[in-house]
Amino acid sequence: MADMVQRIAKKLYQGDIEAVGELVQDALDAGMAPGEVLKDALLAGMDEVGRDFKEGVLFVPEVLFAARAMHAGMDLLRPLLADSEIASSGKCVLGTVKGDLHDIGKNLVTMMLEGGGFEAIDLGIDLEPGTFVDAVREHKPDVVGMSALLTTTMLQMKATIEALEEAGLRDSVKIMIGGAPVTAAFAVQIGADAYAPDAATAVEMARELMA
Amino acid sequence: MEHPQTNVNAQITPHYRGMTDDQCRLIHRASLEILERTGVLLYYQPAVDLLKKAGCYVEENRVRIPAHLVEWALRAAPSHIRLYDRSGKPALQLGDRISNFGTGSDCLHILDHRTNERRDALCQDIVDGIRVADAMPHIDFIMSMFLPSDAPDAADVRQMEGMLNYSAKPICFVTYEWEGTAEIIDMLEVVAGGAEQLQARPTAILYINPTSGFRHNEEALRKLMYVAEKHLPCVYWPEVGRGLTCPITFAGAMACSNAGHLAGLVIAQLVNEGAPVALCTAVPFSLDMKTMVVPYVDPDCKAFGLEMSHYYNLPAFNWGGMSDSKLLDEQAIMEATLSLFVATINGGNLIHDVGYMESGLMGSLELVVICDEIISWLKASMQGLEINEETLALDVIHEHALSGDFLGAEHTLRHVREDWQPRLIDRHNYEQWMAGGGTSMRERARAKIDEILGAEPRHILPPDIEKRIRTITERVIAASGGISLKD
């Protein structure tokens, strides 16, 4: 079994979507518990991916394919897992703020969060503050992630936080922001809870915010 | 010429090409297919309507543009844009392979030349940056350099006020939202003496940055259509990132970038045939796929895509004189030099971002001053060879060669001032250099900045015009709910 776990983790690291699907099925057929496959093979594999990404060993497209391989495995496990086993690290809603159509950074963070065991809901791009407010009402997330690539749209983050305050929802969530022009000082200035300079750190930050 | 001679070809400048005409044709064809088959998404209904009326295939906001329309727009657009200085004299020619150099806009931080520390940029830094750029003989046009942290509201209007007040050079400017764009153009019209005067002798070019080659956001399109309507020049540059918003391979990336630019060109020409637009047609950007940082300087050379602009005979926007370094160190100077060289030899017309560091997030006045010297050097090195009776000087050779004394020759005196002279580079011998303070190039750059900023600011506008500009600025600030600037 240990061998099986290692093979899944290795194929996941290599981003081999098909192989991960097959191996997860093999592991289940061999009688391995779905919860074990998830924890020891998939999540452990993604941890290694996250670590090596942060170390500068892996390139972003390689991480993307690893995350997709994890999803391929998850798709097989999900119907078999008890709710308690699925219990994610936390729930995040993410989006790019109003006026900004950039989505690559936000997509990457979504993907890495999912890889890190979070349930991540991607709200899209060019989002009015009200859209974030509605999403918080609907999904009751632990973390709200906002992205902006432009110096001109980053101020919309402030507007969104204010909208959450007005709706009385600010204290129900932690707010994490990121994007090329965004800084830790800016996060403090607009009253966000955390700033992540890159997608791998975003996962660590989200974990810290959950703690 | 005493004795006629035929068939002599002279190369009056260095010659370089990054792509052949056939390669350009392949990229052009690919871009036409992209526009006709895949199309682009336009997030501004008037632009969609305009294209639909012109015969494009429209499904909601997805617009597919037929090849003939693109090729019509390429014929309709002017091959040159002439920019004027504040007194109405022609200052820049954008077109062919003529290179002009200028600063960048909206850096969040400044590498303070006084303290060598990185800090948030302030309104005063904008004024200082403009004054330094204005004083540099080889900075041909100015941009605002900084986004002020002490006045983020209506910063674009404040930047324009500063540029108009403190420099007479042509301006390349950015507006943030749609709001404020018309007022900023009003300011330019006030200075030019009216809308028609500005149209006839444009002093500024609007830099528009749509989201990507395939997604053109509302504000970018609105601005594009507005300036096209007014027949004012603009740069339309959709960012296309290799491996992100287009294929990672260069050829496909160039075709996508080119397609995005051409979509903008078609819209501008449909609004107003002959609208002056500068593109950077086939220049995708690269990312560091480990960090997702966009390096500003990169040997995968964005610059050879400029061949497409030359192929189309359209003015070309480009970059030079910047660095990814956080320090004004060896990397900074190396990258600034190489980027200026590559942009120049590829024939970029509007080479901007001189003085950018930290991948566009920080600006350095010292780097601007050092780049001025690099540009001066490049200008001299791009001069070709002149071979004629006077420069061959056979009679002078015959007269002086055997005595070995050309120093006292009349001919030497006549041409002695033609060689390039440094302003910042030191070429003294050791003792002379020590006697002059034994300074580094950076120290000399810093001294130059102190000298410029220590002098009384030069207000180039008549007081009544300056006041009218101020009134517009105040009005926009008030409308944006921001705090007024101290005078």
Side-chain angles (χ1 to χ4, degrees):
Chain A
M1 286 296 175
D3 175 51
M4 189 78 98
V5 162
Q6 265 178 14
R7 273 166 61 205
I8 297 174
K10 188 175 166 201
K11 287 293 172 191
L12 184 145
Y13 185 92
Q14 291 170 348
D16 191 334
I17 299 166
E18 216 170 303
V20 168
E22 283 168 12
L23 287 171
V24 166
Q25 192 57 56
D26 288 351
L28 293 172
D29 293 346
M32 211 172 145
E36 230 171 292
V37 180
L38 172 66
K39 189 167 152 285
D40 298 345
L42 299 184
L43 291 180
M46 274 314 285
D47 268 351
E48 196 183 341
V49 169
R51 206 163 42 240
D52 278 1
F53 176 54
K54 208 167 172 347
E55 297 280 308
V57 177
L58 287 177
F59 289 85
V60 169
E62 294 167 335
V63 177
L64 178 75
F65 276 80
R68 283 192 193 156
M70 193 195 91
H71 278 287
M74 266 307 280
D75 288 346
L76 294 170
L77 296 179
R78 199 172 284 119
L80 308 171
L81 289 167
D83 277 353
S84 62
E85 287 173 307
I86 298 187
S88 65
S89 313
K91 196 194 264 188
C92 307
V93 298
L94 300 103
T96 304
V97 296
K98 188 180 163 218
D100 206 320
L101 302 180
H102 294 89
D103 60 1
I104 287 127
K106 181 255 311 163
N107 293 352
L108 194 65
V109 171
T110 307
M111 188 184 84
M112 293 296 288
L113 283 170
E114 286 178 346
F118 283 86
E119 186 184 342
I121 299 158
D122 186 347
L123 301 176
I125 53 173
D126 191 12
L127 301 172
E128 296 281 346
T131 312
F132 280 96
V133 172
D134 294 344
V136 169
R137 274 207 193 98
E138 186 189 336
H139 300 292
K140 304 194 173 31
D142 304 293
V143 177
V144 174
M146 285 189 279
S147 166
L149 189 81
L150 306 172
T151 50
T152 51
T153 52
M154 59 194 264
L155 290 171
Q156 284 298 326
M157 293 178 164
K158 190 174 173 218
T160 307
I161 292 178
E162 284 165 2
L164 286 168
E165 274 165 7
E166 273 171 38
L169 294 168
R170 173 65 187 88
D171 295 335
S172 70
V173 292
K174 299 285 185 187
I175 294 175
M176 175 163 75
I177 63 171
V182 177
T183 60
F186 180 71
V188 173
Q189 198 187 324
I190 65 167
D193 299 301
Y195 154 73
D198 58 69
T201 314
V203 180
E204 286 172 18
M205 281 297 185
R207 283 192 181 133
E208 275 179 37
L209 290 174
M210 296 294 300
Chain B
M1 203 180 283
E2 204 181 344
H3 304 285
Q5 184 184 357
T6 60
N7 282 26
V8 177
N9 287 312
Q11 187 171 336
I12 59 167
T13 67
H15 195 93
Y16 172 88
R17 290 209 55 183
M19 288 164 73
T20 65
D21 279 344
D22 285 349
Q23 285 181 300
C24 291
R25 212 177 159 71
L26 291 173
I27 299 291
H28 172 62
R29 202 165 72 200
S31 300
L32 291 182
E33 177 171 335
I34 290 166
L35 287 170
E36 199 166 274
R37 181 178 161 208
T38 312
V40 292
L41 298 176
L42 304 180
Y43 293 83
Y44 185 47
Q45 197 54 44
V48 176
D49 295 343
L50 183 74
L51 288 171
K52 186 167 186 176
K53 206 173 138 216
C56 293
Y57 320 111
V58 174
E59 294 164 66
E60 289 185 16
N61 71 331
R62 177 180 176 181
V63 178
R64 285 178 286 168
I65 307 172
H68 71 86
L69 200 57
V70 178
E71 297 194 320
W72 164 80
L74 283 166
R75 288 191 302 276
S79 62
H80 285 75
I81 297 173
R82 200 175 295 110
L83 290 180
Y84 293 76
D85 71 14
R86 221 74 81 252
S87 70
K89 280 205 286 283
L92 303 186
Q93 186 74 251
L94 310 179
D96 296 330
R97 288 181 178 255
I98 305 164
S99 292
N100 304 281
F101 304 86
T103 46
S105 74
D106 298 291
C107 291
L108 293 174
H109 312 290
I110 181 170
L111 184 65
D112 191 326
H113 74 281
R114 300 169 192 92
T115 60
N116 195 27
E117 271 170 23
R118 174 186 185 265
R119 61 166 173 79
D120 289 345
L122 304 170
C123 284
Q124 186 58 44
D125 297 320
I126 296 176
V127 174
D128 290 353
I130 295 163
R131 291 181 61 205
V132 168
D134 184 64
M136 293 297 115
H138 303 287
I139 296 294
D140 303 306
F141 63 92
I142 55 165
M143 293 185 74
S144 62
M145 289 198 77
F146 302 107
L147 182 68
S149 62
D150 52 345
D153 292 326
D156 45 2
V157 183
R158 299 171 199 257
Q159 289 169 343
M160 180 55 83
E161 185 186 23
M163 291 191 281
L164 289 170
N165 278 341
Y166 295 108
S167 175
K169 291 182 180 180
I171 292 169
C172 178
F173 68 106
V174 172
T175 64
Y176 303 137
E177 321 255 349
W178 159 251
E179 287 76 25
T181 304
E183 286 82 355
I184 286 174
I185 291 170
D186 283 351
M187 292 163 97
L188 288 162
E189 288 174 351
V190 165
V191 173
E196 271 173 35
Q197 282 77 0
L198 185 67
Q199 196 186 86
R201 289 185 298 276
T203 51
I205 183 163
L206 172 63
Y207 174 19
I208 305 169
N209 220 184
T211 309
S212 83
F214 293 104
R215 286 185 200 172
H216 299 248
N217 56 317
E218 174 179 342
E219 281 173 357
L221 290 169
R222 252 182 118 166
K223 290 175 195 174
L224 176 69
M225 291 174 72
Y226 184 76
V227 288
E229 181 69 51
K230 283 184 158 278
H231 201 84
L232 293 174
C234 72
V235 174
Y236 195 74
W237 188 62
E239 297 187 39
V240 172
R242 292 176 46 233
L244 276 188
T245 50
C246 70
I248 195 163
T249 45
F250 235 100
M254 287 172 76
C256 290
S257 167
N258 195 38
H261 285 80
L262 292 176
L265 187 77
V266 170
I267 294 167
Q269 299 312 313
L270 285 173
V271 169
N272 194 349
E273 191 170 341
V277 185
L279 301 176
C280 191
T281 48
V283 187
F285 68 85
S286 307
L287 287 107
D288 183 320
M289 280 287 183
K290 284 178 179 170
T291 60
M292 302 312 266
V293 166
V294 178
Y296 259 59
V297 190
D298 167 7
D300 290 338
C301 250
K302 313 164 173 184
F304 59 64
L306 283 173
E307 284 298 343
M308 287 306 295
S309 293
H310 304 318
Y311 176 75
Y312 290 143
N313 205 12
L314 286 176
F317 186 63
N318 203 227
W319 300 256
M322 67 284 181
S323 169
D324 292 314
S325 183
K326 288 74 191 165
L327 305 172
L328 194 53
D329 59 356
E330 292 80 354
Q331 180 188 336
I333 303 305
M334 171 190 149
E335 290 179 332
T337 306
L338 287 174
S339 59
L340 283 168
F341 176 75
V342 167
T344 306
I345 201 145
N346 280 284
N349 300 141
L350 199 63
I351 299 172
H352 82 302
D353 282 353
V354 169
Y356 259 29
M357 297 180 64
E358 196 195 329
S359 314
L361 293 173
M362 177 167 74
S364 160
L365 302 187
E366 290 158 284
L367 187 57
V368 172
V369 173
I370 290 170
C371 282
D372 185 72
E373 183 83 338
I374 300 168
I375 294 164
S376 162
W377 197 101
L378 278 174
K379 283 181 179 174
S381 77
M382 292 292 159
Q383 270 169 15
L385 182 62
E386 202 182 331
I387 305 177
N388 56 34
E389 213 174 301
E390 173 68 10
T391 60
L392 269 177
L394 286 173
D395 286 343
V396 185
I397 293 169
H398 187 69
E399 192 184 334
H400 295 275
L402 300 184
S403 68
D405 175 24
F406 285 89
L407 201 55
E410 187 76 22
H411 183 267
T412 304
L413 180 67
R414 204 154 57 233
H415 295 283
V416 71
R417 290 190 162 267
E418 290 168 13
D419 285 8
W420 180 76
Q421 289 298 315
R423 269 171 26 110
L424 212 56
I425 285 173
D426 178 84
R427 304 197 294 201
H428 294 100
N429 66 29
Y430 189 82
E431 286 72 21
Q432 289 168 334
W433 172 69
M434 278 301 284
T439 55
S440 71
M441 188 175 191
R442 185 173 182 187
E443 285 166 330
R444 293 190 291 278
R446 207 174 292 162
K448 181 80 63 186
I449 295 169
D450 285 336
E451 183 192 318
I452 295 163
L453 298 181
E456 199 56 33
R458 190 166 74 101
H459 284 250
I460 64 116
L461 296 175
D464 59 318
I465 301 288
E466 198 175 319
K467 212 171 142 195
R468 284 174 66 191
I469 299 300
R470 180 87 275 241
T471 311
I472 299 175
T473 310
E474 291 284 4
R475 202 175 64 222
V476 178
I477 292 170
S480 74
I483 6 124
S484 172
L485 271 178
K486 286 198 297 271
D487 273 319

